[in-house]
Amino acid sequence: MRILSIATAVPEVKYSTEELVDLFPAKLSNGILDSIFNLGVLRRHLAFDPKSNLVEREAVSDICSKACIKVLEKTGLQQKDISYLIAAYDYNDFCVPGLSSLLVKKVGFFSHIRHLSVQGMGCSAFGKVLQLAKDYLAKFPSNYVMLCFSGVNSYWFHGQVRGIKNVLDIKKVKNIKDDKQREFELRKWIATIQFFLFGDGAASIIVTNDRGKLKVGDFVYITNLEEEDYLTGYAKIISLNKPFSFEFHSYLGKNLPELGLKYTSKVLELLTMKYGSKTLANAKKWVVHTGSRKILDSIAERYSVNREKLKESYEVLERYGNLGGQAYRLY
């Protein structure tokens, strides 16, 4: 399978980290500000405007449709040439229908096109969806598949900090004796970091078997080496005890970078067993998910990767922030 072309789209609204600090509802301590600037994000595009507290009615599907139309224009293909549309996302304009259903008409496909929505894969979405496309093209080798990846999640991350009056340094949070109070203050701290870490954007890719310079090789997956690893980072919606009320609850564990290295090591071990020990050293580029600058630095240090080989990942993080599983495709 080969990648024929890639296109991206981002919201028009753009904020620097300094501008968001000024807009944040609470005054932040120097310790928290250090944590924010150490994330490595200089600016980001947002579908949810924190200045006006407004979000476009169908921001996710509108931004994604722009990326899909752009990639068609780049390849010279028409909507009728695409036989399968796969859309990956976490947050969507609607719980139901899924994103792919919304894109059918917005992109201009025939109503009978085969399509699929893949939700909740987070950082692993890119590899998972590529595998789906590869499996499909194995059966229909002459067809074209369009993949769309949404990293539009700011409505979650900006909505949860509304009304926050103060945020404690993480060291002070750890010293709180009362369990419920400590958990509440930790949630506020995590919500603050997410507010400054995530940006919005979308990417669309067309893959086929016989055209395109970029060849897609093997995939290796590792999921839940330990039974509760998934609890290190998650997001969920909780129903409250009153009508029509729900709460967004997210968590990022302090050991997330360490766990990421553990999983990366296992994946690379399996790849080098197949392709030889020189595989990593001979790689011209490393495309690393832009979770934070600490994650990129850790990968570079652990595997002695020259900064130049990771340049694009650092630049994406600086310009767009973390976009879930879509961040590194915005370069």
Side-chain angles (χ1 to χ4, degrees), residues 226-244:
E226 301 296 334
E227 186 176 353
E228 294 188 348
D229 278 353
Y230 67 93
L231 293 175
T232 304
Y234 63 83
K236 60 182 179 179
I237 305 296
I238 301 172
S239 177
L240 303 179
N241 293 325
K242 51 184 177 179
F244 315 119

Side-chain angles (χ1 to χ4, degrees), residues 44-72:
R44 77 285 290 145
H45 294 257
L46 297 172
F48 177 78
D49 191 340
K51 185 178 293 184
S52 62
N53 282 333
L54 295 177
V55 63
E56 298 177 28
R57 181 172 176 270
E58 296 185 5
V60 178
S61 53
D62 286 344
I63 294 168
C64 288
S65 64
K66 290 178 182 178
C68 293
I69 292 171
K70 283 172 64 176
V71 78
L72 286 171

Side-chain angles (χ1 to χ4, degrees), residues 267-283:
V267 167
L268 294 178
E269 177 186 329
L270 294 173
L271 282 175
T272 52
M273 285 175 59
K274 182 172 183 178
Y275 292 102
S277 58
K278 294 184 179 181
T279 302
L280 303 185
N282 293 337

